Amino acid sequence: MWQQISNNKKNTFFLIFGMLLVLILLGAVIGTAVFAHLEIDFQQKELLLFFIFCGSIISVIIWLVQLIAALSAGKKTVLSLGGACKLPQGTHLVLENVVEEMTIAAGLAKKPEIYVIDSSMPNAFATGLNPQNSAIAVTTGLLTQLNRDELQGVVAHEIAHIYNRDTMYMIFAAVMITSITIVADLGVRLFFNTGYTGASSSRRSSGGNSGGSINILVLLCIIFMILAPVFAQILYFLVSQKREYLADACSAQFTRYPQGLASALQKISSFSSSNQVNVDKIISPMYIVNPKSADKLNLQKEKNSSMFNNIWSTHPPTSKRIEVLLKMTGADFKAYNNAFMKVAGNRKPVLDKNDLSGVKKIDIVIKDNIANHLPASSLVQTDASTKTALKSRKSEVNDNLIDRKRNAEDILWKANNYIFKECQCGTKMKFPHEYYGQTIFCPHCGNAVLVSENQK
Amino acid sequence: MQQSQLMTLIPIIIGVIIIVWIIGIYNSLVVLKNQAKNAWAQIDVQLKRRYDLIPNLVETVKGYASHEASVLENVIKARQMAVNLGDNVKERAAAENVLTGALKSLFAVAENYPDLKANQNFMQLQEELTSTENKIGFARQFYNDSVLNYNNKKEMFPSNIIAGVFNFENREFFEADNSEKSVPQVKF
C-alpha cells in the first residue's frame, strides 16, 4: 500500500513538473511572438532573450500567485464552490459512523471533516492537501438515495482519494491548468487586440522576405498558445481516469464489499443523467461520478463509444466501473485487476505492478440484506423466488427512502441553527433560533408547545 | 606510519557501520511493534465502546421483549466475561467472538417485535452497535496486517538475531470467529 502512495506522489511531481515546463515554454513563446511582432531587428539577440525571459517570468509569477492562493485557502475554496456546509455533530449518525469506519479501515490518523451539500442529485467528493487536513462532502440526495452499504462504498472511495493523495494532486493540477489557460488567454488577447494594426504597419515598413518569415513565426506561436491548454487538459485526464479505478479498487478493499459501491454508482449515474443540477465547472471532476458528463447508463451505447470520447472525460464510463466491481471474485487489488481485464478484454491491466506487490487475498463479505439493493439487481441475475421476495419488501424500502430523505433534510435545518421541537401528537416542528415567542402552536393538533429557554 | 594508522581505522569504521546497522534494524522493529500496539489500542477503544452500549440495549429490549430472558442473559454474561479479561489477545478474541454471537442472536430475536424495531432509541442503538461491530472488524484487519509485518520482520534474517538479543516477542493475531466467516443463511 505504501508503494502505491509514493508512486502517486512521484506521478504528481512529474505531472506538475511537465505542466510547469509547458507553462514556461508558453511564456517564452509569447515573449518571442511579441518580439517578432514588434519587428525589432533579429540581430539583437540580447533583446530577444530578454523578451523570452520576461514572458517566462510573468507566467511563473501568475502560477505562483495561483498556487499561493490555492494553498492558503485549501479545502475552503473547493467546499464553498460546492456550496457545502459542515455537518453539525450528532445530526446524521450513519454518515458519521461510516466515515469513521472507513478512516479506521484505511488506517488514516485523523477522521476527515464531513460536509453536506444541499442538492437532490446524489454525489460526493473529497478534498484537502494531506490526510491530516482533509474533508469529504456528500449531497443530501446521496444520503436519501443510498442505503448504509452503498454509502459505505462511496465514502470508502472518497477516503481512498485522500489516502492515495489524489486530492492533493487534484489541487495542484487545477492550479496548473488554470495558470496555463490564463497565460495562453493573455497571449491570444495580446495578439488579437494589437495584431491587426501592427501587421498592416509592418507590411508598409519592412521588406517582404523578412515579414513573411516573421508572420509564420507569429502564426506558429499563436497555434502553440491555443494548443497548450488543450495539451495540459489531456495530460490531466489521462492520469485522473486511472486514479478513479484505483480509488474503486481501494474502496472494495476497505469495505470488503464491492457490490455496495457498484449499486451506489448505478443509483448515482441513473440519477445524474435524468436530473441536472447546477454544478461548478472546476469542481465537477472531483465528484465520484462527474455530474457534467451526460453519462447515461446505457451499456450498448458506451461500448460503441470511441477512444476519442474517453480521452475527454476525467472519469471512466460508470457502467464499466460497475461491471468491474460486480465481476470481482475477491476484495483485493488482484481480484480488481482480473475483473478489469475480463471487462476490458485484452487491454492492459489498470493497476501497476507496484500496486500489486505484497497484496494478500481478501474475501468479499457476504451480506444477506438483498432488499437494500433493489435497483442494482437489474444487472445481477436474479431467479424468480428472489424476485417475489424483493417485491414484498419493496414497500419497506420506500419507507426507508422517506425516512432517509427526512434525516438528510434535517441536517440542513440544524446546520442553519433551527430548533427542533416535538409535539405530543408526534409532529416535529422546526423554527429558527431567533424565534422570540414563549410557545409555538402545532399545525397538526393545535396544541401549544412550550419553547424552552435553554434550548435557544 | 600511515599504513598502521589505516590499519587501526578500518576496524573502527567497520565497527561503526555495524553499530549503525544494528540501530537501524532495532528501530524498525520498534516502529513495527508500536504500530501493532497502536492498532491494538484502536481495537480496544471499539471493544470498550461496545461494552458501554450493551447495558442500554438490554434495557431497551427488556421493555418490549421481556420473555426473551435467555437471549438477554447470554448477552449480559458474554459481556461480563469479556470485560473481566486482561490483555491476552487470544483469550480476548475468543470472548469477544462469543459476545458478537450473542448480540447477533439478540438482533435476530428483535426482528420479531415490530414495536421494538420502530423504537427510536433501539434504532439508534442498533446503528451504533452495527457501526462498532464494523469498526472492530476494520480495526482487526489493520491490527492483523501490522502484526504480520512485525512478526515477519522479527523472524527474518538478519533482524531475527537482533530481535532475539533484545527480547522482542511475537504478537498474536486477533482471529475472527470461524462461524463469522461462513456464509449466512439467507431467509425471507
Side-chain angles (χ1 to χ4, degrees):
Chain A
M1 286 298 253
W2 281 107
Q3 234 151 356
Q4 156 206 327
I5 295 170
S6 64
N7 219 26
N8 254 15
K9 275 187 178 163
K10 226 189 295 166
N11 281 347
T12 309
F13 176 77
F14 280 129
L15 190 104
I16 302 307
F17 191 69
M19 285 199 185
L20 193 61
L21 277 184
V22 171
L23 185 74
I24 291 172
L25 200 66
L26 186 69
V29 162
I30 292 174
T32 318
V34 170
F35 176 80
H37 179 71
L38 289 176
E39 299 273 335
I40 302 162
D41 196 357
F42 258 100
Q43 304 304 316
Q44 288 176 281
K45 281 217 173 100
E46 286 88 13
L47 208 59
L48 175 64
L49 282 177
F50 175 73
F51 268 94
I52 289 174
F53 186 70
C54 275
S56 318
I57 288 292
I58 288 169
S59 48
V60 169
I61 287 172
I62 287 174
W63 173 66
L64 279 176
V65 168
Q66 292 271 327
L67 190 68
I68 289 165
L71 290 186
S72 58
K75 59 190 180 195
K76 275 185 219 136
T77 334
V78 176
L79 288 167
S80 67
L81 276 175
C85 66
K86 203 169 174 190
L87 178 80
Q89 208 158 24
T91 46
H92 205 283
L93 211 59
V94 177
L95 180 62
E96 282 172 60
N97 278 337
V98 163
V99 172
E100 203 175 323
E101 283 166 27
M102 288 305 104
T103 309
I104 291 172
L108 289 183
K110 194 171 160 268
K111 186 174 150 187
E113 286 173 22
I114 310 169
Y115 284 78
V116 178
I117 299 165
D118 183 16
S119 160
S120 62
M121 192 175 70
N123 228 326
F125 70 84
T127 182
L129 273 176
N130 52 43
Q132 281 75 42
N133 187 22
S134 55
I136 288 180
V138 299
T139 63
T140 48
L142 191 87
L143 297 174
T144 306
Q145 299 293 329
L146 305 190
N147 65 39
R148 199 178 195 285
D149 291 332
E150 292 159 346
L151 188 66
Q152 199 178 41
V154 171
V155 168
H157 176 98
E158 299 308 335
I159 293 263
H161 275 317
I162 293 171
Y163 178 79
N164 293 331
R165 273 60 168 184
D166 291 346
T167 49
M168 171 186 81
Y169 159 83
M170 282 283 206
I171 291 172
F172 279 121
V175 166
M176 255 5 269
I177 290 177
T178 3
S179 318
I180 289 176
T181 314
I182 288 175
V183 172
D185 197 49
L186 220 65
V188 170
R189 267 163 207 274
L190 204 69
F191 269 90
F192 283 105
N193 283 350
T194 58
Y196 292 114
T197 50
S200 56
S201 67
S202 74
R203 209 150 285 155
R204 254 180 275 127
S205 58
S206 65
N209 223 357
S210 65
S213 71
I214 285 170
N215 278 341
I216 286 169
L217 190 70
V218 170
L219 199 70
L220 283 177
C221 291
I222 290 176
I223 288 172
F224 185 78
M225 279 176 228
I226 293 166
L227 283 184
V230 179
F231 178 63
Q233 293 258 324
I234 289 178
L235 252 181
Y236 172 60
F237 290 154
L238 281 181
V239 191
S240 72
Q241 279 208 8
K242 206 201 132 187
R243 275 157 199 269
E244 286 305 316
Y245 283 122
L246 189 64
D248 280 357
C250 283
S251 166
Q253 196 193 356
F254 291 160
T255 58
R256 290 175 284 167
Y257 190 62
Q259 287 94 325
L261 180 61
S263 88
L265 285 177
Q266 185 146 31
K267 280 185 185 174
I268 293 170
S269 60
S270 62
F271 209 91
S272 61
S273 53
S274 61
N275 192 349
Q276 286 284 346
V277 178
N278 268 2
V279 180
D280 194 275
K281 196 175 147 199
I282 298 168
I283 64 165
S284 66
M286 292 185 171
Y287 282 100
I288 184 164
V289 171
N290 193 334
K292 278 279 166 193
S293 65
D295 191 7
K296 290 219 171 91
L297 203 75
N298 192 335
L299 294 170
Q300 211 53 43
K301 207 168 157 191
E302 265 172 18
K303 268 183 185 152
N304 295 333
S305 71
S306 61
M307 229 347 246
F308 186 75
N309 275 335
N310 288 337
I311 285 180
W312 294 103
S313 83
T314 50
H315 287 54
T318 313
S319 63
K320 200 162 146 196
R321 286 167 69 190
I322 296 169
E323 236 185 310
V324 173
L325 286 167
L326 287 178
K327 282 221 165 78
M328 286 173 78
T329 52
D332 50 288
F333 276 12
K334 261 186 197 137
Y336 189 84
N337 222 12
N338 291 340
F340 180 82
M341 287 199 280
K342 239 184 260 168
V343 171
N346 51 1
R347 286 257 299 280
K348 58 177 187 162
V350 66
L351 303 173
D352 290 339
K353 262 189 189 147
N354 282 333
D355 300 331
L356 292 173
S357 65
V359 168
K360 317 190 277 194
K361 185 146 175 42
I362 304 168
D363 289 324
I364 294 176
V365 176
I366 296 149
K367 301 193 180 182
D368 55 356
N369 46 355
I370 294 172
N372 286 334
H373 304 290
L374 275 181
S377 55
S378 56
L379 265 187
V380 191
Q381 289 288 325
T382 47
D383 53 54
S385 63
T386 328
K387 263 183 192 154
T388 50
L390 288 177
K391 236 178 212 169
S392 70
R393 290 214 185 174
K394 210 163 191 171
S395 59
E396 203 175 306
V397 170
N398 272 340
D399 284 348
N400 281 344
L401 204 68
I402 293 165
D403 276 348
R404 287 203 296 251
K405 190 166 193 309
R406 240 178 229 153
N407 279 342
E409 279 166 358
D410 282 354
I411 296 173
L412 296 170
W413 291 110
K414 277 182 183 154
N416 286 317
N417 283 328
Y418 270 61
I419 297 167
F420 283 57
K421 195 85 200 169
E422 203 167 328
C423 174
Q424 285 165 328
C425 66
T427 313
K428 220 198 286 177
M429 288 176 288
K430 301 152 197 157
F431 48 93
H433 68 289
E434 292 98 342
Y435 181 73
Y436 47 79
Q438 292 286 310
T439 53
I440 194 160
F441 290 99
C442 170
H444 252 145
C445 57
N447 272 345
V449 178
L450 207 66
V451 179
S452 61
E453 209 49 50
N454 55 9
Q455 255 187 315
K456 286 196 173 184
Chain B
M1 180 64 193
Q2 264 202 338
Q3 205 168 19
S4 69
Q5 257 185 344
L6 211 70
M7 288 304 276
T8 52
L9 263 180
I10 285 173
I12 292 174
I13 289 170
I14 291 176
V16 167
I17 287 173
I18 289 177
I19 288 171
V20 167
W21 183 62
I22 288 174
I23 290 173
I25 290 180
Y26 179 83
N27 282 350
S28 64
L29 274 166
V30 170
V31 166
L32 288 173
K33 189 180 154 188
N34 285 342
Q35 200 181 30
K37 226 185 201 168
N38 283 343
W40 174 252
Q42 184 66 256
I43 296 183
D44 213 40
V45 167
Q46 300 308 334
L47 292 177
K48 294 226 165 84
R49 169 112 186 97
R50 187 156 74 164
Y51 303 150
D52 294 344
L53 286 169
I54 286 171
N56 270 335
L57 177 77
V58 170
E59 279 310 305
T60 313
V61 176
K62 247 186 203 161
Y64 290 88
S66 49
H67 49 275
E68 304 282 358
S70 67
V71 182
L72 288 171
E73 213 154 276
N74 276 344
V75 173
I76 296 167
K77 251 195 240 159
R79 175 184 174 272
Q80 207 52 45
M81 228 170 71
V83 168
N84 291 335
L85 281 176
D87 248 5
N88 184 314
V89 176
K90 216 172 209 169
E91 283 175 17
R92 196 80 186 269
E96 294 301 337
N97 287 334
V98 171
L99 181 55
T100 306
L103 276 174
K104 253 186 199 158
S105 52
L106 176 62
F107 282 123
V109 164
E111 286 290 309
N112 301 328
Y113 298 86
D115 286 347
L116 175 61
K117 263 170 65 184
N119 179 294
Q120 196 67 37
N121 203 11
F122 178 75
M123 269 158 46
Q124 216 161 42
L125 278 167
Q126 190 172 24
E127 162 58 27
E128 279 294 350
L129 271 164
T130 314
S131 176
T132 312
E133 206 78 55
N134 287 347
K135 283 171 199 161
I136 291 171
F138 294 128
R140 181 175 57 208
Q141 194 178 359
F142 194 70
Y143 169 77
N144 284 343
D145 284 351
S146 316
V147 170
L148 185 75
N149 280 345
Y150 168 68
N151 285 355
N152 277 350
K153 180 91 185 170
K154 210 199 127 281
E155 281 161 23
M156 269 195 283
F157 183 81
S159 44
N160 61 348
I161 301 168
I162 288 140
V165 170
F166 291 102
N167 252 339
F168 278 89
E169 277 167 14
N170 255 356
R171 278 200 85 102
E172 277 177 274
F173 291 102
F174 194 100
E175 302 283 2
D177 191 8
N178 281 334
S179 64
E180 205 178 309
K181 274 185 189 159
S182 65
V183 183
Q185 296 276 306
V186 182
K187 279 173 275 176
F188 288 111

